[in-house]
Every structure is written in structure tokens, then in C-alpha cells.
Amino acid sequence: MAQRDPDCLFCKIVAGEVPAEIVREGERTIAFRDINPQAPTHVLVIPRDHVPNVGTAARAGAGLVDAIAAEAAEVAAAEGIGDAYRMVFNTGSGAGQTVFHVHAHVLGGRGMEWPPG
């Protein structure tokens, strides 16, 4: 049984309770378009299980961060941006995380400036 937080927006998307434009589904992950895109391609990759942030996912040692990163690469290929994409994890409210379910932003389709904002 998957770990789920009944108050989590992303858990509700995984369960099909909240609509999202799904672009890929894997055994451990799901990818969908961001509702407020910051680039021509802006897809979120999340685990099906509820994990609050990337640090917690990494410490769990179950290969979840690897699964998210691998799915991000598949999304980039499917979206036609190949190996020219940015993958971002915001961890904590001070870093801009607004949904506390780990998610990678896959951004591409335009030049990415450095340093980011």
C-alpha cells in the first residue's frame, strides 16, 4: 500500500481525485504539467508515495531520487528537449517549496539563465 497524506495536493493527483495533465506514469513516479509554467516545458515529476522533500527521499536510501531523476530524463526526451533541461528541487518554504511532497521541476525549451532567481 502506498504511503499517502490525505491533505496533500499531489497525493490527490496520484489518486486521481484532482485532475492534472499527466504526461508520463511509471511504477514509482508520475509526471504532469505545472499549472503555472515558468518555461515552455515545465513538468513536475513526483513519487507515488508521499515523501515531504528531496532530503527525506535521499535519506530513505530506497533509490527514490534516482527514480525521479531517471523519469525526468524520460520526460525531457518525450518533450523534445533532450539533454537541454534544468531539474530543480525546492526544499522547504524558504526555498520556494509550496507543496510538501517531493517533486522535481523539469524545465526546458528556452535558455536557462545563471544564477537562477
Side-chain angles (χ1 to χ4, degrees):
M1 163 130 339
Q3 297 174 11
R4 185 163 187 254
D5 178 339
D7 298 321
C8 173
L9 173 63
F10 289 173
C11 286
K12 290 177 183 179
I13 289 172
V14 170
E17 297 168 4
V18 170
E21 187 179 343
I22 307 296
V23 297
R24 288 185 54 87
E25 291 191 65
E27 183 179 323
R28 298 182 73 188
T29 61
I30 186 168
F32 54 92
R33 298 204 187 282
D34 193 295
I35 62 168
N36 184 26
Q38 302 299 304
T41 298
H42 189 167
V43 174
L44 303 179
V45 178
I46 69 170
R48 292 182 178 275
D49 286 340
H50 183 82
V51 179
N53 60 55
V54 70
T56 302
R59 285 189 297 276
L64 185 56
V65 177
D66 292 345
I68 293 168
E71 189 61 28
E74 293 295 329
V75 165
E79 293 288 311
I81 56 176
D83 62 359
Y85 65 95
R86 179 171 287 166
M87 182 172 60
V88 176
F89 291 94
N90 297 323
T91 303
S93 59
Q97 185 177 8
T98 58
V99 178
F100 294 89
H101 182 124
V102 64
H103 55 287
H105 296 259
V106 180
L107 301 145
R110 67 168 172 81
M112 297 287 143
E113 303 298 319
W114 195 262

